[in-house]
Amino acid sequence: MALLPIITAPDPRLKKVCAPVEAVDDKIRRLMDDMLETMYAAPGIGLAAPQVGALKRVIVIDLSDDEEEKAPLFMANPELVAVSDDDASYEEGCLSLPDYYGAVDRPATIRVRFLDRENEIRELDADGLLATCIQHEMDHLEGILFVDHLTALKRNIILRKLLKAKKSNTPLASYATL
Ligand code: K1U
Ligand code: ZN
């Protein structure tokens, strides 16, 4: 397995619509495993393929904490087959927008259909943080970042600060307060 560099915004690769995978073969499994290792190292609870420069519809998620056994989820071509009418709001973060957080409203419960690591079709019902995280990662596959759910003012403040940090190569933490 390999650690992959995580792309930070602004970057045109984070705004692309990703292509479906034909099947979960050894190449896609390798991508999934590398993404999982990269996500654990970050650390994060989810990662989408475009965040490591692979414009494919692949996501990995693990909500287990340090004391628990690891519980990775591997999803290719995820699609929402049901969403609740009621929304839940969660303070989201993103490894591609380091040190920034924002409250996003999304359907509170979902059913997602996907190909798993063995190329089997699965369906999963999710609520709480898992539902939020799946939807956040699926957004990445459409070129959507959580800041796209905020007001244009908040989004532009965050993106301008990230661009400034990138240009001057300044550590991000010193730009993180809005
Ligand atoms: O960039 C990403 O897509 C990963 C992101 C996922 C996410 C977090 C919160 C709400 C929705 C989606 C992260 O993992 S940010 C880091 C984070 O949340 C975290 C890191 C360490 C421990 C616990 C959480
Ligand atoms: Zn993200």
Side-chain angles (χ1 to χ4, degrees), residues 1-5 30-39:
M1 289 205 280
L3 279 182
L4 307 169
R30 172 77 189 268
L31 172 66
M32 288 171 157
D33 292 344
D34 288 349
M35 285 171 57
L36 191 72
E37 188 181 5
T38 302
M39 185 200 80

Side-chain angles (χ1 to χ4, degrees), residues 80-88 106-111 126-127 131 135:
L80 294 179
V81 291
V83 296
S84 61
D85 290 334
D86 57 317
D87 283 354
R106 301 182 186 274
T109 63
I110 59 167
R111 173 170 291 179
D127 61 9
Q135 292 174 85

Side-chain angles (χ1 to χ4, degrees), residues 51 93-96 136-137 140 145-146:
Q51 294 179 277
C94 182
L95 299 172
S96 295
H136 174 115
E137 302 311 334
H140 276 297
L145 300 173
F146 85 76

Side-chain angles (χ1 to χ4, degrees), residues 33-81:
D33 292 344
D34 288 349
M35 285 171 57
L36 191 72
E37 188 181 5
T38 302
M39 185 200 80
Y40 285 142
I45 56 172
L47 195 68
Q51 294 179 277
V52 294
L55 300 182
K56 295 184 188 308
R57 300 186 81 80
V58 173
I59 65 178
V60 297
I61 291 174
D62 191 343
L63 264 54
S64 65
D65 63 35
D66 291 345
E67 278 86 67
E68 290 173 315
E69 203 175 310
K70 287 189 172 19
L73 281 170
F74 302 93
M75 299 186 185
N77 302 343
E79 50 180 311
L80 294 179
V81 291

Side-chain angles (χ1 to χ4, degrees), residues 21-165:
V21 305
E22 273 181 27
V24 180
D25 55 13
D26 285 347
K27 215 170 144 192
I28 298 296
R29 264 188 289 278
R30 172 77 189 268
L31 172 66
M32 288 171 157
D33 292 344
D34 288 349
M35 285 171 57
L36 191 72
E37 188 181 5
T38 302
M39 185 200 80
Y40 285 142
I45 56 172
L47 195 68
Q51 294 179 277
V52 294
L55 300 182
K56 295 184 188 308
R57 300 186 81 80
V58 173
I59 65 178
V60 297
I61 291 174
D62 191 343
L63 264 54
S64 65
D65 63 35
D66 291 345
E67 278 86 67
E68 290 173 315
E69 203 175 310
K70 287 189 172 19
L73 281 170
F74 302 93
M75 299 186 185
N77 302 343
E79 50 180 311
L80 294 179
V81 291
V83 296
S84 61
D85 290 334
D86 57 317
D87 283 354
S89 179
Y90 196 88
E91 191 82 1
E92 299 191 12
C94 182
L95 299 172
S96 295
L97 300 157
D99 299 323
Y100 289 96
Y101 300 89
V104 178
D105 289 343
R106 301 182 186 274
T109 63
I110 59 167
R111 173 170 291 179
V112 60
R113 182 183 297 151
F114 58 97
L115 286 174
D116 70 9
R117 199 176 172 284
E118 278 67 51
N119 198 43
E120 299 286 340
I121 298 175
R122 302 265 178 217
E123 285 193 12
L124 175 72
D125 290 312
D127 61 9
L129 180 55
L130 180 58
T132 294
C133 192
I134 291 169
Q135 292 174 85
H136 174 115
E137 302 311 334
M138 288 180 67
D139 265 1
H140 276 297
L141 308 181
E142 298 295 324
I144 297 168
L145 300 173
F146 85 76
V147 288
D148 295 320
H149 294 278
L150 307 180
T151 63
L153 180 66
K154 284 184 185 169
R155 175 169 62 252
N156 290 334
I157 290 171
I158 292 172
L159 291 175
R160 269 206 310 273
K161 288 187 178 194
L162 284 165
L163 180 62
K164 195 172 170 188

